[in-house]
Amino acid sequence: MTAAVEAAEVGYRVILVEKEPYLGGRVIRMNRYFPKMCPPSCGFEINVRRIRQNARITVYTPATVEELAGTAGNFKARIRVKPRYVTGAYSLDDSFTAQLSATRPNDFNYGMDRTTALYQPHDMAYPTDYVLDRAVLSASDEAKLAEILPAGAVDLDMAEQHLEVKIGAVIVATGWQPYDATKLDNLAFGRLPNVITNVMMERLAARGGPTGGAIIRPSDGKKAENVAFVQCAGSRDEKHLPYCSAVCCMASLKQIRYVREKNENARATMFYIDIRTLGSLEKFYYEMLDDANISFVKGKVAEISEAPDAGDLLVKVEDTLGQGNLHLQFDLVVLATGMVPAGAAEKIPFRLTYDEHGFIDGTTNIPGVYAAGCAKHPCDVSRTTKDATAAALKAIQCLNGGA
Ligand code: SF4
């Protein structure tokens, strides 16, 4: 979004292709940013306004690039736009969705709640149109929609579109996925419901999330009062992600603040190998050292298992700073799972070079194609937006005869 508005606002036409039915990527699913603790919705709203007001930007969602060919200044892209089955001719609201019965996991909330087949991805979604998940629309829900919706509001025969466009330069900002925590067998994610991941914690803490912002544990809805944060869950581990994911120390420190702000009696413990808070971000960490309800234990968690008290969890760890082997009990555990570039599983159809982890190698090996943000390396929102602005400048230089 940043690259698109930066390029468009100096006069270039931009086509923005987004796989999800809404813009905003992973960032709009966060509760707050560090270090200022402001919600991402503020910056998002500003960018949406800039996009709405700028006729030079065309947005396609849910859409992917299925073919890309050519050279700098003269690329051709084929864009596949999937049907959302909602025409946009009428404005819909949740009074319609409430009358449907079949449900699907809510991807936006990482599956912690469910939506009906007709849904709006989230409260601030842009484009604002609802989406219909045709695969879960039951026969009875289809009949109900025919009864309650104005004729023409949905089109169950809507076809995929395939568009060909000519473009001068390409910016790849395909983002990241959380590491699949079920691969960390010793940490019990997927087996014990009160072990969650850091991205799930963002949705738990968010007002628009599955619990309305209450940090409660999934198994029984009990208020989480003693929460463990397990760092490097997958990252810096030769068997999983050998690199540091760069943001998860700060993300956990931020989430400890959520826990403490929402409940003055709550306690939090962070289990870490190293705490990586670069530059001025270290202040954020140091300010937390004076809080008696926050503990830091240097040690890699060996195992998470069920405690005798229903729903509670036992964390087994060796404290390398002198306390020896510990078995500590918590009511919720948050895994600081790392970043996997989206390019690891799904590459754009072009001859780009990737490193062994799926990050785009360097600025890219192709003149006229520029990578930004987590497509290139693990990084936070601030660095991503700077990368995006730099990529927009490189694209503009390319269109003006530069490299
Ligand atoms: Fe581990 Fe922190 Fe690096 Fe994340 S940022 S991989 S938690 S050291």
Side-chain angles (χ1 to χ4, degrees):
M1 291 176 79
T2 299
V5 293
E6 298 294 2
E9 288 176 0
V10 289
Y12 291 84
R13 281 187 293 128
V14 175
I15 294 170
L16 186 49
V17 181
E18 168 56 53
K19 189 167 81 171
E20 297 296 337
Y22 55 88
L23 298 183
R26 298 249 159 233
V27 175
I28 196 60
R29 295 156 87 170
M30 300 294 164
N31 177 40
R32 290 177 189 263
Y33 291 128
F34 57 77
K36 290 189 180 161
M37 300 299 274
C38 50
S41 49
C42 302
F44 176 76
E45 257 179 341
I46 293 167
N47 273 346
V48 166
R49 196 167 58 237
R50 290 164 82 184
I51 287 172
R52 277 179 191 276
Q53 287 169 350
N54 198 320
R56 294 189 197 94
I57 304 178
T58 307
V59 176
Y60 292 113
T61 62
T64 49
V65 174
E66 55 178 4
E67 259 181 63
L68 182 63
T71 52
N74 191 24
F75 291 107
K76 254 193 210 159
R78 195 170 146 88
I79 299 168
R80 173 187 177 210
V81 186
K82 287 201 233 155
R84 56 168 74 218
Y85 301 106
V86 173
T87 63
Y90 297 91
S91 115
L92 304 181
D93 60 50
D94 285 349
S95 65
F96 296 109
T97 64
Q99 299 186 55
L100 305 182
S101 49
T103 62
R104 56 187 284 288
N106 184 354
D107 315 324
F108 192 80
N109 287 336
Y110 296 97
M112 288 188 286
D113 61 356
R114 301 182 73 81
T115 75
T116 55
L118 178 69
Y119 65 100
Q120 189 178 37
H122 63 98
D123 292 349
M124 296 184 56
Y126 179 81
T128 52
D129 293 335
Y130 277 54
V131 189
L132 184 74
D133 187 338
R134 193 82 174 77
V136 296
L137 185 69
S138 64
S140 61
D141 281 347
E142 188 176 330
K144 179 55 86 176
L145 285 181
E147 181 193 322
I148 61 178
L149 289 181
V154 298
D155 173 6
L156 297 181
D157 298 319
M158 192 178 277
E160 243 176 42
Q161 284 176 276
H162 297 268
L163 312 165
E164 290 219 343
V165 292
K166 283 186 173 181
I167 41 185
V170 181
I171 294 174
V172 183
T174 41
W176 63 283
Q177 302 282 343
Y179 186 63
D180 177 2
T182 60
K183 292 182 181 168
L184 306 162
D185 198 43
N186 57 325
L187 302 184
F189 178 76
R191 275 188 285 118
L192 301 178
N194 295 332
V195 178
I196 65 170
T197 64
N198 46 6
V199 287
M200 293 165 80
M201 182 58 150
E202 290 297 320
R203 296 311 306 147
L204 264 192
R207 217 171 33 196
T211 59
I215 300 180
I216 56 178
R217 58 188 200 176
S219 70
D220 53 8
K222 179 177 170 251
K223 204 194 263 186
E225 302 218 292
N226 187 15
V227 184
F229 289 82
V230 175
Q231 297 311 107
C232 300
S235 303
R236 304 175 70 203
D237 183 332
E238 288 301 326
K239 291 195 196 120
H240 298 280
L241 306 174
Y243 51 86
C244 171
S245 290
V247 300
C248 20
C249 277
M250 275 306 295
S252 292
L253 293 168
K254 173 187 71 167
Q255 293 181 350
I256 289 173
R257 289 216 173 162
Y258 299 161
V259 170
R260 294 288 295 120
E261 279 170 15
K262 284 179 188 268
N263 179 354
E264 61 177 355
N265 298 317
R267 286 172 291 136
T269 303
M270 185 166 169
F271 297 96
Y272 67 95
I273 305 175
D274 303 294
I275 294 180
R276 293 188 167 169
T277 50
L278 296 185
S280 58
L281 295 176
E282 199 152 50
K283 186 166 176 276
F284 191 95
Y285 162 47
Y286 283 170
E287 282 169 2
M288 297 170 78
L289 294 174
D290 293 332
D291 185 334
N293 280 20
I294 303 174
S295 309
F296 294 90
V297 175
K298 185 171 171 69
K300 188 170 167 82
V301 169
E303 190 183 41
I304 298 172
S305 57
E306 264 181 304
D309 297 333
D312 280 10
L313 301 157
L314 273 185
V315 172
K316 185 175 157 191
V317 63
E318 183 191 350
D319 177 346
T320 58
L321 294 184
Q323 293 188 78
N325 289 330
L326 304 174
H327 290 83
L328 302 172
Q329 188 162 337
F330 297 92
D331 47 24
L332 184 72
V333 173
V334 182
L335 306 181
T337 43
M339 280 188 172
V340 181
E346 210 176 340
K347 296 180 169 45
I348 66 159
F350 203 55
R351 50 184 197 283
L352 295 178
T353 304
Y354 296 81
D355 71 11
E356 71 266 42
H357 311 300
F359 292 107
I360 289 173
D361 218 359
T363 309
T364 85
N365 53 325
I366 312 279
V369 182
Y370 309 101
C374 299
K376 270 202 315 193
H377 42 212
C379 58
D380 62 15
V381 178
S382 163
R383 183 162 177 196
T384 294
T385 53
K386 289 178 186 114
D387 256 14
T389 306
L393 177 61
K394 294 297 288 179
I396 291 166
Q397 286 173 335
C398 165
L399 298 180
N400 285 282

